Amino acid sequence: MPLNNEKPSSTSSVEDQGSDVDCSRDSFNSDFSSKHCTPSSSPPKSLTLDEVMDSARDIFNLKISHEIVMNPSFHMDMSSRPQNRLFEVVRDNMHKAFWDMLKEELSDDPPKYQFAIKLLEEIREILLSFLNPGANRMRTQIMEVLDMDLIRQQADNNAVDIQGLASFIINTMGKLCAPVREEEIKKLRESTDNIVILLKEIFRVIDLMRVDHINFSIELIRPFLQKYSVEYEREKFQKILEKTPTALNHTTAWIQAAKEELSSATVPTDTNHGVGKTAMLSPFQLLNTAFLHILRWDYSKNPIPETLVTDETRLQEIQWQLNQCQAVNEVMLIVYNTVGEPIQGLASLSDRLKRMISVLLNGMHKPDFKFDESLEVISAQICCELNKSLTDRSYPALTPEVQTMLTGQICSISQKDNPIRTLVEDRVQQYFSVLLSDSNPLAKLEQVPAGLTPIKAELGLIARKFISLVNYNRTIYGPFYAGIIKKLLFSNGPSDESLPRDRAQDSACQD
């Protein structure tokens, strides 16, 4: 028997994230930021358990609403098991214990009905939750047949018609279920199992109906959330911040790290007396640098900024895809620089090599992935493919010395300070930096820096998803970022009107 607080797990895709959301960037001069969106400067207060639970519920609601907006295929799915093995074992044991005790009670002579009544009462509440507000006739019928006071009196007199109540429940489920569940209802009607097994099956199908009901509700509210998502998510986060004043600590540290990087790299401006003066950082430059850090974020060591929690899974997958693309590009650069002219201009060979490398690097983000061994396999496969291509076109095959050199260079990209790896990673960062700073980034998706041509198509797809997420995030949390940046850049606390603005960044984001 499912626990009262148990919720079905969610299943979501990462495709087309935020691509259908119309958003425009809020100015850092927003009135909203000057009124309510900056963290409280008062000392942190001790939170009660109720306040912690309220904040947890707000965060859960924020994540769900964000997922509904960003992922058109988001739905609830009972087939997804919780990843927490301990929770799963405890839950299954509790369910088994309940059904065993129900069987024991109904097998007594005379039967006992304590657990059966609890089950019937929960089924009644679930059936009532399926009804529309105007379904008064069916509501009355359910309340009359599943009258718990009457059933308790019947139990005291050993007069409960469990089979009759089960038949009524099945018929009611048939009237309320989605068409996809009609076959399940038919099996329940035709069941010849004992009453305990029948009740267990009824509860299983009701759980499926609950998921259907939730998914139907999601489809109903999706248009509303898409229309008011920015205001809704901003308001929800503000409530979380009011209950938990430390809810922007990680976000502040994230932006502070970007400021320190820019400050150390900023060239001092000239002054009359030869004394250097650091140029003022632009708020948008600071925030763009912070977002670039997310592409290299170490999720195992650093908690993600609170304002990015709702997109953590999407951002991780973007990072995984980007790292794999970079590795593919590094190998391709080494191959073409080593072999040179005999394989230049052969699109089919380039595509085969790229596909092969990508397949062998699948899952490289996983802790148990053996990167060095995979690079050795890739080297061997590439040498075979190159030799076949060369000999088919009357070129000599690669000499053992060249193959050894090629293998060594490919395997060396596992080292973080490898020059080819550093070059590719820096140019990818340069590519994303240009896109984040441009008022029309989608027009420049195909303008990749030199040396990244082998992954041009893949890089464009990754960048489109990343820019969409960033722009939507800035629209929601811009006022919160403004408050943080104002404190970091202006120790004297100037008015909002004095904050520098980048006019190019005020344009609406394009899908």
Side-chain angles (χ1 to χ4, degrees):
M1 178 181 177
L3 306 176
N4 289 335
N5 294 330
E6 186 175 327
K7 293 181 175 63
S9 302
S10 63
T11 303
S12 60
S13 165
V14 297
E15 300 300 322
D16 303 324
Q17 302 122 346
S19 59
D20 297 326
V21 180
D22 182 24
C23 59
S24 60
R25 297 174 182 162
D26 281 38
S27 166
F28 276 97
N29 295 7
S30 169
D31 289 340
F32 194 97
S33 66
S34 63
K35 294 177 182 178
H36 303 295
C37 289
T38 55
S40 171
S41 59
S42 59
K45 64 175 183 177
S46 298
L47 298 177
T48 66
L49 179 59
D50 287 342
E51 287 173 325
V52 172
M53 295 302 294
D54 284 344
S55 294
R57 279 191 289 271
D58 286 338
I59 293 171
F60 176 79
N61 291 337
L62 179 60
K63 287 183 176 181
I64 291 295
S65 63
H66 184 80
E67 200 66 31
I68 291 171
V69 171
M70 299 297 283
N71 182 3
S73 64
F74 173 78
H75 64 283
M76 306 303 283
D77 189 356
M78 284 294 294
S79 63
S80 298
R81 287 273 183 176
Q83 295 181 352
N84 188 319
R85 178 63 181 164
L86 177 60
F87 172 85
E88 187 176 353
V89 170
V90 172
R91 182 200 60 185
D92 290 347
N93 285 338
M94 290 180 68
H95 289 185
K96 183 178 184 301
F98 175 86
W99 294 112
D100 288 346
M101 287 186 289
L102 177 63
K103 180 179 180 181
E104 184 178 334
E105 277 196 347
L106 295 180
S107 300
D108 283 351
D109 188 17
K112 297 185 180 69
Y113 297 98
Q114 179 183 353
F115 286 96
I117 289 173
K118 289 181 179 179
L119 182 64
L120 292 171
E121 190 169 15
E122 187 164 352
I123 289 174
R124 183 187 71 172
E125 295 308 310
I126 295 172
L127 292 176
L128 291 173
S129 72
F130 292 155
L131 300 179
N132 293 323
N136 295 325
R137 182 177 177 182
M138 184 171 289
R139 186 182 307 276
T140 300
Q141 188 179 21
I142 292 173
M143 293 296 291
E144 287 179 351
V145 176
L146 297 177
D147 183 336
M148 303 318 299
D149 291 335
L150 177 59
I151 292 174
R152 287 189 182 93
Q153 292 177 13
Q154 293 172 341
D156 292 339
N157 296 287
N158 194 24
V160 179
D161 182 7
I162 288 287
Q163 196 69 49
L165 293 173
S167 297
F168 168 78
I169 290 169
I170 294 170
N171 289 333
T172 305
M173 290 167 61
K175 297 174 184 177
L176 298 174
C177 72
V180 71
R181 304 299 174 200
E182 289 177 355
E183 187 62 31
E184 296 277 7
I185 299 298
K186 182 181 178 182
K187 290 179 181 177
L188 290 177
R189 288 194 175 112
E190 297 173 352
S191 174
T192 57
D193 294 323
N194 65 57
I195 189 62
V196 174
I197 295 177
L198 179 59
L199 288 173
K200 190 174 182 179
E201 283 299 294
I202 286 174
F203 215 100
R204 181 185 66 81
V205 177
I206 278 186
D207 264 350
L208 295 175
M209 290 173 60
R210 282 204 293 186
V211 173
D212 296 337
H213 185 71
I214 291 171
N215 288 331
F216 179 69
S217 299
I218 287 173
E219 293 305 313
L220 287 180
I221 66 173
R222 177 174 278 118
F224 174 83
L225 285 177
Q226 287 175 335
K227 186 175 181 180
Y228 300 104
S229 59
V230 171
E231 294 85 350
Y232 177 82
E233 291 191 40
R234 187 182 292 166
E235 180 183 343
K236 279 289 181 186
F237 190 80
Q238 178 61 34
K239 288 181 179 179
I240 293 170
L241 189 58
E242 289 168 357
K243 295 174 183 176
T244 314
T246 58
L248 280 173
N249 282 8
H250 298 317
T251 303
T252 302
W254 167 56
I255 297 176
Q256 174 69 35
K259 175 179 178 290
E260 291 171 359
E261 178 184 312
L262 288 173
S263 297
S264 63
T266 300
V267 178
T269 58
D270 293 331
T271 63
N272 294 333
H273 303 288
V275 179
K277 181 182 178 182
T278 303
M280 179 175 288
L281 298 176
S282 160
F284 286 102
Q285 180 189 16
L286 180 54
L287 196 55
N288 288 345
T289 302
F291 278 114
L292 282 176
H293 285 183
I294 294 299
L295 292 174
R296 294 181 172 183
W297 197 261
D298 189 340
Y299 291 88
S300 64
K301 295 181 180 178
N302 303 309
I304 193 167
E306 297 88 349
T307 54
L308 295 173
V309 165
T310 52
D311 284 315
E312 181 172 4
T313 300
R314 273 177 282 273
L315 290 169
Q316 274 190 298
E317 295 199 8
I318 285 174
Q319 185 188 75
W320 297 338
Q321 293 167 8
L322 187 60
N323 288 342
Q324 183 174 342
C325 279
Q326 289 175 169
V328 170
N329 196 88
E330 291 156 16
V331 174
M332 294 289 285
L333 283 181
I334 291 170
V335 169
Y336 278 84
N337 286 337
T338 302
V339 181
E341 190 273 335
I343 60 172
Q344 296 291 341
L346 300 176
S348 60
L349 174 63
S350 176
D351 289 342
R352 285 201 307 275
L353 292 176
K354 191 167 75 171
R355 283 197 303 270
M356 179 190 70
I357 299 166
S358 297
V359 169
L360 292 174
L361 289 177
N362 272 340
M364 62 177 287
H365 63 277
K366 297 178 180 178
D368 59 347
F369 185 82
K370 295 179 174 56
F371 193 33
D372 290 325
E373 292 182 12
S374 296
L375 291 176
E376 291 179 4
V377 173
I378 287 170
S379 301
Q381 293 285 344
I382 285 176
C383 288
C384 290
E385 191 70 35
L386 290 177
N387 284 334
K388 182 177 183 303
S389 175
L390 290 169
T391 55
D392 285 349
R393 292 178 294 111
S394 301
Y395 281 95
L398 299 177
T399 64
E401 292 77 14
V402 172
Q403 293 187 47
T404 300
M405 180 178 64
L406 185 60
T407 299
Q409 290 183 2
I410 290 174
C411 291
S412 69
I413 68 169
S414 63
Q415 302 167 10
K416 291 187 177 181
D417 60 349
N418 177 270
I420 297 295
R421 177 171 174 172
T422 301
L423 174 69
V424 171
E425 290 177 353
D426 288 347
R427 290 190 178 176
V428 166
Q429 288 282 303
Q430 174 191 339
Y431 171 72
F432 278 92
S433 179
V434 170
L435 294 178
L436 286 172
S437 303
D438 198 273
S439 60
N440 186 16
L442 300 188
K444 295 189 175 181
L445 289 178
E446 296 188 1
Q447 298 178 19
V448 300
L452 300 183
T453 305
I455 57 170
K456 177 180 176 180
E458 292 80 5
L459 204 55
L461 292 174
I462 294 171
R464 180 182 292 272
K465 289 189 287 188
F466 183 68
I467 294 299
S468 178
L469 285 179
V470 167
N471 284 344
Y472 185 59
N473 180 272
R474 281 200 278 212
T475 305
I476 296 170
Y477 298 103
F480 299 93
Y481 295 144
I484 294 171
I485 292 174
K486 180 176 165 182
K487 289 183 177 181
L488 292 177
L489 295 185
F490 308 102
S491 58
N492 294 328
S495 63
D496 290 337
E497 287 73 14
S498 65
L499 280 170
R501 296 183 61 179
D502 186 339
R503 295 289 180 183
Q505 295 293 335
D506 290 332
S507 62
C509 72
Q510 302 176 35
D511 293 333

